[in-house]
Amino acid sequence: MTIEKNKILMQRYFEEAWNQGKLDVLDDIIDENYVNHSPGSPDPKPGPNGLKPIILAVRKGFPDLHFEIKNMVVSDDQVAIHCVMHGTHTGDLFGMAPTGKKVTVNQIQIERIKNGKIIEHWRQSDDLGMMQQLGQLK
């Protein structure tokens, strides 16, 4: 039962928070002591309030942002996910002016879960590939 709940938790995380931008869902699914070990921006606050500005910033840069879950390996207290981020860079992205270019970025994430909430996050993303797709690197 816990494995199925963890799978549903991660589907909500990607679909509601990232794909739809419903940040209030983070208050339900992210622990107040949540630690983001690979935040993409320096020193976020712990808990849902540390993740909300990151999601807002990424969605600002890619308003059509969509994460596609390719594979999940689920246990009682961890979930490993291979996902692909799709989006068109039509807004400011952490100070980078819009390029109008589409990106497809592979990611691997590990989420630690405790008491039905995400408590820790690690991500490995093809950021170099994304910057190349945006024309920022050759």
Side-chain angles (χ1 to χ4, degrees):
M1 197 65 171
T2 301
I3 289 174
E4 187 60 28
K5 286 181 181 179
N6 289 349
K7 182 178 177 183
I8 292 167
L9 174 70
M10 295 315 306
Q11 289 168 331
R12 284 189 71 200
Y13 171 75
F14 282 106
E15 184 56 35
E16 294 178 39
W18 286 97
N19 292 349
Q20 298 175 22
K22 295 179 180 176
L23 300 184
D24 290 345
V25 74
L26 297 176
D27 296 324
D28 294 333
I29 66 173
I30 301 290
D31 189 84
E32 65 184 29
N33 297 310
Y34 166 86
V35 176
N36 189 340
H37 295 284
S38 44
S41 61
D43 303 320
K45 296 177 185 175
N49 289 331
L51 184 55
K52 289 175 184 180
I54 295 168
I55 293 176
L56 283 172
V58 175
R59 289 189 54 77
K60 181 179 179 186
F62 300 102
D64 63 345
L65 181 72
H66 180 78
F67 278 90
E68 176 186 3
I69 297 171
K70 292 293 196 175
N71 193 17
M72 275 197 278
V73 178
V74 185
S75 74
D76 288 340
D77 64 349
Q78 291 189 55
V79 180
I81 302 140
H82 167 220
C83 60
V84 180
M85 183 191 99
H86 303 276
T88 309
H89 184 215
T90 57
D92 177 82
L93 180 65
F94 298 106
M96 183 192 313
T99 63
K101 297 184 178 190
K102 293 183 182 288
V103 298
T104 300
V105 182
N106 278 286
Q107 296 184 355
I108 299 291
Q109 297 186 189
I110 298 174
E111 310 292 336
R112 190 164 72 89
I113 299 169
K114 184 175 180 182
N115 299 323
K117 292 190 175 192
I118 303 168
I119 191 153
E120 283 186 279
H121 164 85
W122 295 265
R123 180 190 81 247
Q124 186 64 41
S125 181
D126 185 11
D127 294 334
L128 179 62
M130 180 176 76
M131 296 308 281
Q132 289 172 327
Q133 292 173 62
L134 293 173
Q136 302 299 305
L137 298 172
K138 296 199 184 243

